[in-house]
Amino acid sequence: MKVAKSVAAFRNWRKIRTGRVVLVPTMGALHHGHAALIRSARKLAGRGGSVAVSIFVNPTQFGPNEDFSAYPRPWYRDADVCRTSGADAIFVPSAGEIYSPEHSVVVEESTLSATLCGQSRPGHFRGVCTVVAKLFNIVQPTHAVFGEKDWQQLAIIRRMVRDLDFPVGIVGHPTVREPDGLAASSRNGYLSAAERAAAPMIYAGMRAGAEKKSSAAVVATVGRAFAGIPFARVDYVEAVDADSLAPLKSRRMPGRLLAAVFIGGTRLIDNIPLPPRT
Ligand code: PAF
């Protein structure tokens, strides 16, 4: 497995690849959810193709009071997850390799980013789009795999690829969950034992809401369920159209239920489908 720390070293590896090159962009702290993304990238790449994982804790997508410095960077464990899950290369640049000190060009999606996490984390999706666009330019993947756990991010990346004509197939991978239903996330490691015990109530509350017949009843049911979660402070709960992220007017249309909840000091997000009801 190739480990490339610079753009030049990665491009040397890339230029002799034939077949599909499937990118799994990550910020490291890889868990079994990431391992599943890499394994699915491996299948997608096929026998003649290659899988590249990028590991870069992207400073521009963190707000001033967020966890950029504290974000875990367990390099040896990450390299192991990549190797055992079928990666052929890891691109692990420094911040200086990605952003020149005077960088002044950004990529900004202006509609889908204005809601949900975009409201609570101003500038977050600008940072995500900018770094993903740069990774696409450096890696030149034929495909890229993103987790559906970050549903809004996935919708925004699809929009960016469509609107800026990136020749990259975007593949969403279903959310990987712990046995108790909690969505796998690097941030779960921040939870105390008592908070970790409470966190699965997010998914349970969302599933209870998804049974309801109207969007308003879905959101109200989830809100009531969340009110009973110890240590919880709700950021948002919304039923939206799965692609446009506009409020879901009717449960006759397929939708998505998205939520962000602080458990203690840790902000967790989750989403589930809202299949159409007749
Ligand atoms: O989902 C993530 O881990 C990050 O937002 C991404 C896509 C790697 C960009 O930094």
Side-chain angles (χ1 to χ4, degrees), residues 5 115 167 181 219 238:
K5 294 187 177 169
T115 61
V219 171
E238 287 190 40

Side-chain angles (χ1 to χ4, degrees), residues 3-12 54-60 68 90-103 130-131 133-135 137-139:
V3 175
K5 294 187 177 169
S6 67
V7 173
F10 187 84
R11 285 194 165 138
N12 279 336
S54 61
I55 297 182
F56 179 61
V57 187
N58 174 34
T60 65
F68 173 68
I90 305 179
F91 177 49
V92 55
S94 63
E97 187 69 19
I98 294 293
Y99 295 111
S100 86
E102 324 76 48
H103 75 272
T130 303
V131 81
K134 286 169 72 68
L135 289 169
N137 285 332
I138 295 163
V139 175

Side-chain angles (χ1 to χ4, degrees), residues 25-27 34 54 56 58 61 71 124 128 131-132 135 146 150 153:
T26 81
M27 297 205 301
H34 293 109
S54 61
F56 179 61
N58 174 34
Q61 69 187 73
Y71 203 85
H124 169 69
V128 170
V131 81
V132 171
L135 289 169
F146 292 84
D150 296 281
Q153 169 174 281

Side-chain angles (χ1 to χ4, degrees), residues 12-213:
N12 279 336
W13 176 85
R14 174 66 182 94
K15 73 180 175 214
I16 49 172
R17 298 297 114 192
T18 53
R20 291 179 169 181
V21 172
V22 184
L23 171 66
V24 183
T26 81
M27 297 205 301
L30 305 181
H31 48 67
H32 62 119
H34 293 109
L37 299 191
I38 300 168
R39 285 196 303 274
S40 99
R42 180 73 269 155
K43 276 202 192 117
L44 184 61
R47 285 170 69 86
S50 311
V51 174
V53 177
S54 61
I55 297 182
F56 179 61
V57 187
N58 174 34
T60 65
Q61 69 187 73
F62 287 80
N65 299 319
E66 294 183 350
D67 54 344
F68 173 68
S69 328
Y71 203 85
R73 290 158 172 89
W75 162 248
Y76 292 105
R77 215 180 62 210
D78 284 353
D80 219 46
V81 172
C82 291
R83 191 178 304 104
T84 54
S85 309
D88 299 296
I90 305 179
F91 177 49
V92 55
S94 63
E97 187 69 19
I98 294 293
Y99 295 111
S100 86
E102 324 76 48
H103 75 272
S104 56
V105 176
V106 295
V107 179
E108 182 145 29
E109 190 288 326
S110 56
T111 303
L112 310 181
S113 305
T115 61
L116 305 162
C117 289
Q119 281 199 331
S120 351
R121 304 184 69 191
H124 169 69
F125 290 116
R126 187 193 312 122
V128 170
C129 285
T130 303
V131 81
V132 171
K134 286 169 72 68
L135 289 169
F136 285 177
N137 285 332
I138 295 163
V139 175
Q140 310 240 319
T142 55
H143 300 80
V145 181
F146 292 84
E148 286 184 353
K149 197 202 84 165
D150 296 281
W151 186 266
Q152 186 177 13
Q153 169 174 281
L154 178 58
I156 290 169
I157 299 293
R158 287 192 199 281
R159 183 65 67 92
M160 179 185 84
V161 162
R162 185 196 76 179
D163 288 359
L164 297 184
D165 305 296
F166 281 100
V168 182
I170 301 300
V171 179
H173 188 282
T175 302
V176 174
R177 297 185 181 278
E178 304 300 340
D180 57 13
L182 178 64
S185 165
S186 311
R187 292 195 164 104
N188 294 347
Y190 297 156
L191 299 169
S192 70
E195 290 167 350
R196 175 64 188 78
M201 293 171 76
I202 298 173
Y203 180 54
M206 293 175 78
R207 286 183 52 183
E211 298 298 318
K212 301 294 165 189
K213 287 200 174 103

